[in-house]
Amino acid sequence: MPADLLATPDLLRSVFRRHAAGVAVVTARGEAGPVGFTATSLASVSAEPPLLSFGIGTDASSWPAIATADHVGVHILGEHQRELAVTFARSGADRFGPPTAWRDGPEGVPVLDGVLAWLVGRVVARVPAGDHRIVLAEVVHGDPTGTGRPLLYHQGRFQRLGD
């Protein structure tokens, strides 16, 4: 088998750059205040009960808060929120300072304004997965009424949905 087909971190990254994914921001309340990060690993897991999942690296600055949070917020970003996605993806950024608009939502979770939809979930499991954890959360609140089109992540860039 050719070496370029053997499983490596670079192979995995190269393949998933070709996979277009919706962009979400996950938030939680930490001891020092709100935390959050941009995620493209969001998935619907179950309708009964309503469960979602996302992955987070254990070296991420948000991990200590997510590791102990009872509840998390999940926000589906619109194509008009590219800068918000960049802010929450950037290491060391003041993610909740201006111009980020947010409020305290259900269960004390930070809820971002202007998103296409948001959910608050009660964390039910954190599953080890290599250098990440897969977080499972049961949805307890949400609002699907935002308007616009979704922001996508493809080929290492935030992009708009084409027709």
Side-chain angles (χ1 to χ4, degrees):
M1 179 171 292
D4 62 337
L5 298 179
L6 294 176
T8 66
D10 286 339
L11 174 64
L12 184 68
R13 283 190 282 275
S14 293
V15 169
F16 273 89
R17 277 189 202 103
R18 296 175 175 268
H19 174 69
V23 180
V25 167
V26 176
T27 61
R29 177 68 59 184
E31 285 185 21
V35 301
F37 65 97
T38 300
T40 57
S41 60
L42 180 65
S44 171
V45 175
S46 168
E48 285 295 329
L51 294 172
L52 61 83
S53 71
F54 60 87
I56 179 172
T58 55
D59 63 348
S61 62
S62 297
W63 171 243
I66 300 292
T68 61
D70 293 329
H71 293 84
V72 294
V74 175
H75 308 80
I76 308 301
L77 299 190
E79 63 186 11
H80 63 286
Q81 295 177 304
R82 184 183 311 221
E83 286 308 311
L84 186 66
V86 169
T87 296
F88 277 83
R90 188 179 304 126
S91 179
D94 180 6
R95 296 171 179 158
F96 289 90
T100 302
W102 65 282
R103 65 192 182 284
D104 286 326
E107 311 299 337
V109 172
V111 172
L112 302 174
D113 293 341
V115 296
L116 297 185
W118 60 265
L119 298 167
V120 170
R122 180 179 59 83
V123 176
V124 296
R126 295 171 185 89
V127 180
D131 61 355
H132 279 61
R133 296 295 180 268
I134 305 301
V135 178
L136 293 168
E138 182 174 2
V139 175
V140 294
H141 301 282
D143 181 355
T145 62
T147 59
R149 293 164 53 102
L151 182 63
L152 298 179
Y153 189 73
H154 181 250
Q155 293 289 15
R157 295 185 11 230
F158 298 112
Q159 301 191 33
R160 297 175 187 260
L161 181 66
D163 289 328

